[in-house]
Amino acid sequence: MTSSDTTVPAHRATDPAPPPPGGVLWTVAGDVRALLMLPAALTLQVAHPAVGAGVDDHSVFRTDPWGRGERSLRSLQLWVYGGPAAAEEGRRLRRLHRGIQGTDAHGRAYHALTPAYYSWVHATGFPVYRHGLSLLARPLTEAQERQLYAEWLQVGRILGIHDRDMPQTVEDFWPYYRRVLDEDLEANTVVRELIATDARLPAPDYGPRALRLLLRLLWPVILPRFLRLRAFLTVGLMPPEARAAIGLEWTDAQERTLRRFARVVRAVVPVLPERLRYLPLARRARREARRTARRGASRARRAS
């Protein structure tokens, strides 16, 4: 879900600022390890009956799964690295969600912008990042956890979420989170599809033509393995208490395998060059931040 516009929108004085360069989100949101965590966050979101119904009724995740994934990823990157484009992307998302409404599987009316539902979709990122980083990078310190939550609240403001609709401290977040886990979540149709190992999924239709042709040729061999890996990482990188609340099976043997996989990721990713470690929007934003810092340092030296 993202705009294809290449022009930078005019900044409004009232626009909330994105998280700052050098912050926790600035470091982790564009790291390739975030790609491994996103399916867990999405599945946790749609386990809420209203959110699951909205995706079931209105999303193109079945007919255009790769396109939807690419648009959603770019949108998320804009929230953190988009500068003036971040707030415009938030407005675009709210416009997009205005028409998403219907009735869930329990016969209850839903609207995507109902604060409780819209806020839950956003809230899931915090516990998934926290858990995923503890495995794929390193556990957050208490100060880093507080900073991550404060920055996640800032992203929520970009998305148009009012402070009154989100817990404002980490201490207040966990009771809210556990209440939703205990009272609302379920393994609905969309959850089951997102972790299915026998799903019908087309070959990716992106990238160089030669690569697309090769993937199309090898897809019958690749697909079963890809689906098993997707299900494994989706369930494994979901916080254990959320996994249990939804009723997703996870064994001790799977946990040991996940931790072996995580050790490899922790060893490999930090030594990758920036062009391989960070996603395109993050790379560009990081380069620009370094240029800005150098210009500021140069002006300071000239003024001294």
Side-chain angles (χ1 to χ4, degrees):
M1 299 189 304
T2 184
S3 171
S4 59
D5 293 345
T6 57
T7 56
V8 176
H11 179 72
R12 301 181 185 178
T14 56
D15 282 348
V24 177
L25 271 178
W26 184 269
T27 303
V28 305
D31 188 298
V32 293
R33 285 172 284 195
L35 294 175
L36 301 176
M37 296 182 249
L38 286 176
L42 174 60
T43 304
L44 184 54
Q45 292 167 11
V46 301
H48 192 292
V51 181
V55 171
D56 196 11
D57 294 342
H58 298 275
S59 174
V60 297
F61 82 100
R62 295 185 181 98
T63 57
D64 184 22
W66 300 105
R68 183 191 186 278
E70 189 276 333
R71 293 188 294 274
S72 296
L73 178 62
R74 178 172 171 80
S75 182
L76 188 155
Q77 296 287 291
L78 282 172
W79 310 342
V80 178
Y81 303 107
E88 178 55 35
E89 176 65 7
R91 288 189 286 270
R92 188 193 70 83
L93 287 175
R94 289 187 69 84
R95 291 194 299 269
L96 181 68
H97 285 81
R98 283 175 189 160
I100 297 178
Q101 57 187 312
T103 304
D104 70 15
H106 303 281
R108 298 172 301 208
Y110 70 82
H111 190 288
L113 291 180
T114 297
Y117 308 153
Y118 197 60
S119 298
W120 170 250
V121 170
H122 179 60
T124 56
F126 173 66
V128 170
Y129 267 133
R130 178 178 177 270
H131 179 62
L133 289 170
S134 73
L135 291 168
L136 302 175
R138 64 182 61 180
L140 296 172
T141 66
E142 181 179 345
Q144 288 171 329
E145 184 173 323
R146 290 180 182 279
Q147 184 179 355
L148 173 62
Y149 190 70
E151 292 175 0
W152 205 237
L153 288 176
Q154 186 66 16
V155 170
R157 297 180 189 111
I158 288 170
L159 299 177
I161 296 172
H162 298 293
D163 284 352
R164 64 176 179 269
D165 296 323
M166 281 283 291
Q168 291 299 292
T169 67
V170 171
E171 289 80 8
D172 290 336
F173 174 81
W174 295 115
Y176 153 77
Y177 171 68
R178 294 187 188 99
R179 179 183 58 76
V180 177
L181 295 188
D182 292 343
E183 298 178 5
D184 295 323
L185 301 195
E186 62 184 15
N188 54 42
T189 299
V190 180
V191 168
R192 290 192 292 271
E193 288 189 43
L194 291 176
I195 60 171
T197 57
D198 58 352
R200 297 180 64 182
L201 187 69
D205 194 25
Y206 293 87
R209 184 170 182 271
L211 177 61
R212 287 184 279 121
L213 291 174
L214 181 62
L215 282 173
R216 196 175 304 160
L217 179 66
L218 297 177
W219 198 238
V221 176
I222 295 173
L223 178 59
R225 293 167 174 81
F226 172 79
L227 291 174
R228 287 195 295 270
L229 178 63
R230 182 183 71 169
F232 173 75
L233 292 176
T234 298
V235 180
L237 293 177
M238 188 178 293
E241 67 279 1
R243 185 195 305 147
I246 300 171
L248 303 179
E249 183 180 351
W250 188 249
T251 66
D252 290 342
Q254 287 174 309
E255 182 67 20
R256 289 192 294 271
T257 301
L258 177 66
R259 291 184 178 273
R260 288 195 295 270
F261 173 83
R263 283 197 295 271
V264 174
V265 172
R266 288 198 303 270
V268 171
V269 173
V271 300
L272 292 174
E274 187 171 85
R275 69 180 184 279
L276 297 179
R277 180 175 174 180
Y278 287 97
L279 300 170
L281 275 173
R283 289 201 305 272
R284 291 196 289 271
R286 289 168 65 85
R287 284 198 299 268
E288 182 56 35
R290 288 194 294 268
R291 292 192 195 101
T292 300
R294 286 195 297 267
R295 288 194 292 268
S298 178
R299 286 194 293 269
R301 285 194 300 269
R302 290 195 298 270
S304 62

